[in-house]
Amino acid sequence: MIARLLPEMHDAVLGLDRWFETMRVNWPVHGYGGPVVHWWNHCLEYRGAGLDWRYEGIIAGYLSLWKLDGSQTWLDRAVRAGLDLVAGQTPDGHFRNSRFEQNPGTGGTPHEAAADVGLLLLATELRTRDPARSELFANAARSNLEQYSFDTLWHAPTRTLRDGPQGVTFVPNKAATFIEAVILLAEIDNRPELIETFALPTGEHILAMQQRSVGGSLDGAIAQNRFDAEIVEAYFPIYIARCVPPLLALSEVTGDRRFREAAAAAVGFLRRVQDKDGGFPQVIYERNRRNRNPRWIAGAGDILRALAKLDKPDDVQSIARLIQWMLSGRRAAGYITVSEGLERVVLLHREQYRILNELGVVGWCDKSFRAFALMLEQRDVVISLEMTDDDDG
Amino acid sequence: MPDDLRAALGLVLRRSVDDAGMLHASVIGDPAIVRWLLALVDVQDSDDLLIVLSASPATLLGTIEECAPLRVVVLSAGRLARVLMPLRRNQMTLRSSPSQSRLRQSGYVRRRHRAVQGVGSVGWAVGERLCRRVGRFDIADRCRIAMQASLVVSSLSAGLGTILIEEYQRIK
């Protein structure tokens, strides 16, 4: 079933690449611009370049395509994205306009750590091919991580990555992005102590925010955030999904199976809450109260990466339904639409919000781009998994 | 940038930027708010449009006497600013604008005006806080989104808000 969708995913990736090129801007710096639609806030006035989490998916996606067919164009696009970040970095390590839906401004979370992930993926790939550029990208990520995450956001007494310089707010999905960046930096710099100092305690904090009640409806769900000790009991599938790859990576580098079990439980939760049409609710609260307005379409790429990440996905059909859900958002210009149902959350502003559903937002489309490109890069694995699933069935 | 000010600057820009998203205007006023506007949009200097962001009445009047722009867009404290001050999280003190009659004396007539953060959005914000306090995060989230959506006051009560945006046209 998934194999049959590979040509469509390929078309979607090419369409997204075409559309990304139209979203290049040169104000206030070179980069990918355009409006942002999000859950709390939208950013419709500022349309300049945003050096935020869009770069994570764009760089990772282009690297996947480069590994798939060796085309220099894809590597050039990934490098250009890395150079955007380097050129847009301020002396204090921040990236200009990294606040996504709250742009303009710097210090966006998890956006700067996500940009670091993109830079470090590039640095890793270029280590032998282009050592000078590799070092350039690693330096930019290192500067951001050290000056902002380690020196400003890190709360040493509680070994917590805070969501801002004030208070001790902890947001698991943002912290998970930080884990991914730390693991990559530790590998590049050969500094395993970074994992011990930063990644492990952060992983422990994420585990502490995960619901574990086998058989319970929320088993595996990871709460959205906490303010000091007060946990906000809201469970967003997309943010839970963003925790999965970093937890798996942490398990791999530390050998601690608890992180892998946590990732598997999170994926189990995601499978249980998936809607029949392949989409996911925006958020699940206590007592199974759900808000389906809106349901992300382009952004669901991060859920696809999570579902497909475990070695043997239990339910290939679940993945196939999600891919079809994402493909349903394709538009002629090449982008994938933001969401469905945004107009139903704000009853008095229906028309205005209905239009927002239909926008293309680079910082959501990068999620589809990355996930589809990864599926294409790993097409042999995808096909073999499907055969295994068919055999079992 | 506080949400109410972001919404207000959005209103300022809505009728002023060109198709390429560029603003052709002169911008004066509170340095922090001017900086925010300049970060939001690419601005090219022009004498036709003057954008006044919480400037003192004397500064505003002095500038239009000197430059005589065709259009003036003024961001200032709205009628509810003082009343709602105790309820607001982001307390940013804005200056009041000169009266319409004073600007008419200078040759400018008010064409349109809108307000930001009226009773509706404040009501949603209070609802959000109450719901969070009793652990109803599901309703609190909806209140928060409704608050954001209703920041720009409806045209029926266009002048009632904590921030006022007025557009004046030169008639002399």
Side-chain angles (χ1 to χ4, degrees):
Chain A
M1 185 179 282
I2 300 175
R4 279 202 297 273
L5 294 170
L6 284 170
E8 270 192 81
M9 282 191 267
H10 189 255
D11 287 349
V13 162
L14 294 182
L16 283 164
D17 165 59
R18 197 176 67 239
W19 179 72
F20 284 150
E21 288 303 294
T22 70
M23 300 305 286
R24 296 283 304 169
V25 296
N26 55 17
W27 181 85
V29 290
H30 289 282
Y32 296 91
V36 174
V37 176
H38 207 339
W39 164 246
W40 297 121
N41 281 328
H42 314 301
C43 182
L44 306 176
E45 290 79 28
Y46 175 78
R47 297 179 190 191
L51 305 184
D52 49 39
W53 72 354
R54 71 192 70 181
Y55 278 82
E56 177 192 58
I58 284 173
I59 292 173
Y62 280 125
L63 288 176
S64 282
L65 294 180
W66 174 58
K67 287 184 225 168
L68 174 69
D69 66 14
S71 164
Q72 184 66 32
T73 303
W74 306 136
L75 184 59
D76 290 346
R77 296 252 211 272
V79 168
R80 183 182 62 185
L83 292 173
D84 287 346
L85 292 170
V86 172
Q89 190 166 34
T90 58
D92 55 5
H94 287 302
F95 298 111
R96 290 186 70 179
N97 299 323
S98 64
R99 300 182 70 83
F100 196 46
E101 83 279 12
Q102 294 179 324
N103 268 337
T106 58
T109 56
H111 301 289
E112 296 204 353
D116 293 332
V117 169
L119 285 167
L120 291 166
L121 288 172
L122 253 178
T124 304
E125 290 300 334
L126 295 176
R127 242 195 309 196
T128 52
R129 192 185 174 90
D130 188 346
R133 280 240 163 102
S134 172
E135 192 52 29
L136 176 74
F137 295 138
N139 280 342
R142 192 183 300 112
S143 168
N144 176 263
L145 281 166
E146 289 183 346
Q147 294 192 72
Y148 188 40
S149 296
F150 299 167
D151 292 351
T152 306
L153 296 180
W154 188 255
H155 187 249
T158 56
R159 304 176 84 196
T160 303
L161 182 82
R162 299 174 293 177
D163 192 36
Q166 277 87 42
V168 190
T169 303
F170 180 73
V171 186
N173 81 85
K174 298 182 179 186
T177 306
F178 168 70
I179 289 175
E180 207 166 0
V182 168
I183 291 172
L184 288 166
L185 183 65
E187 165 69 22
I188 285 177
D189 286 358
N190 194 22
R191 291 160 69 194
E193 70 275 13
L194 292 178
I195 292 170
E196 181 73 32
T197 307
F198 297 109
L200 256 176
T202 304
E204 297 282 357
H205 285 308
I206 294 175
L207 296 195
M209 300 274 285
Q210 186 174 41
Q211 290 267 358
R212 293 314 307 265
S213 53
V214 178
S217 65
L218 288 175
D219 182 43
I222 300 168
Q224 169 59 11
N225 59 343
R226 67 171 159 77
F227 300 100
D228 294 317
E230 185 193 339
I231 293 177
V232 174
E233 306 271 4
Y235 305 92
F236 290 74
I238 191 169
Y239 295 133
I240 293 168
R242 280 186 64 84
C243 294
V244 170
L247 285 173
L248 289 172
L250 189 57
S251 178
E252 201 168 299
V253 295
T254 61
D256 189 334
R257 289 195 57 81
R258 290 177 308 142
F259 297 117
R260 184 176 180 79
E261 287 160 13
V267 167
F269 170 76
L270 293 172
R271 285 203 193 96
R272 289 199 306 280
V273 300
Q274 187 179 23
D275 292 327
K276 283 183 181 160
D277 60 7
F280 283 81
Q282 172 71 217
V283 51
I284 295 105
Y285 300 96
E286 276 189 311
R287 299 185 200 170
N288 212 21
R289 294 188 188 105
R290 296 180 186 209
N291 188 346
R292 286 193 168 79
N293 306 315
R295 293 188 297 163
W296 300 126
I297 299 176
D302 275 348
I303 304 179
L304 175 57
R305 276 197 308 125
L307 292 184
K309 191 76 183 173
L310 295 173
D311 293 343
K312 279 195 166 189
D314 294 336
D315 188 357
V316 169
Q317 287 193 354
S318 166
I319 296 175
R321 286 206 312 275
L322 175 55
I323 293 170
Q324 283 168 328
W325 164 257
M326 290 162 60
L327 290 170
S328 74
R330 289 178 65 194
R331 294 295 177 266
Y335 66 84
I336 292 176
T337 52
V338 174
S339 57
E340 177 267 345
L342 197 59
E343 75 281 5
R344 288 194 291 272
V345 78
V346 188
L347 297 177
L348 300 177
H349 302 262
R350 277 179 176 256
E351 272 318 302
Q352 177 191 343
Y353 278 73
R354 199 188 307 277
I355 293 165
L356 296 184
N357 282 318
E358 279 295 315
L359 290 183
V361 173
V362 178
W364 290 121
C365 284
D366 76 294
K367 317 282 180 268
S368 291
F369 181 68
R370 181 185 191 181
F372 286 161
L374 188 67
M375 300 292 274
L376 293 168
E377 182 197 342
Q378 300 181 347
R379 59 200 306 153
D380 295 340
V381 178
V382 168
I383 291 167
S384 70
L385 283 174
E386 195 154 40
M387 289 167 71
T388 308
D389 188 68
D390 288 346
D391 292 347
D392 291 348
Chain B
M1 188 186 314
D3 289 339
D4 51 351
L5 195 60
R6 173 186 290 274
L9 291 178
L11 272 180
V12 167
L13 294 176
R14 200 163 295 170
R15 286 180 42 81
S16 303
V17 294
D18 66 15
D19 290 345
M22 190 174 276
L23 176 67
H24 301 268
S26 299
V27 186
I28 62 168
D30 183 309
I33 306 176
V34 170
R35 263 199 310 277
W36 274 324
L37 185 87
L38 297 182
L40 265 177
V41 67
D42 196 1
V43 182
Q44 208 164 58
D45 208 37
S46 165
D47 291 337
D48 289 345
L49 171 62
L50 175 68
I51 292 181
V52 184
L53 304 173
S54 187
S56 70
T59 303
L60 192 165
L61 293 168
T63 307
I64 60 174
E65 295 279 322
E66 188 182 323
C67 305
L70 294 173
R71 270 198 315 144
V72 181
V73 176
V74 185
L75 181 153
S76 60
R79 277 190 275 170
L80 293 183
R82 275 194 194 164
V83 182
L84 296 180
M85 186 69 89
L87 292 173
R88 297 171 67 198
R89 275 194 183 129
N90 298 309
Q91 296 191 4
M92 183 152 191
T93 309
L94 298 176
R95 290 195 166 96
S96 299
S97 60
S99 65
Q100 285 185 66
S101 55
R102 178 65 190 83
L103 277 157
R104 186 178 279 277
Q105 286 171 20
S106 297
Y108 288 85
V109 63
R110 192 164 87 171
R111 294 294 186 205
R112 48 181 70 82
H113 66 289
R114 291 296 289 271
V116 168
Q117 200 175 49
V119 175
S121 68
V122 172
W124 286 118
V126 171
E128 182 203 348
R129 284 189 216 177
L130 292 176
C131 290
R132 289 211 189 281
R133 206 165 289 170
V134 298
R136 287 302 300 264
F137 298 113
D138 53 334
I139 304 174
D141 283 352
R142 284 176 178 271
C143 288
R144 168 108 178 253
I145 293 167
M147 183 275 288
Q148 293 281 357
S150 56
L151 271 174
V152 176
V153 174
S154 77
S155 47
L156 290 174
S157 52
L160 270 181
T162 58
I163 304 177
L164 181 65
I165 313 293
E166 301 166 286
E167 184 181 328
Y168 287 89
Q169 186 85 37
R170 194 176 75 200
I171 51 170
K172 288 181 190 167

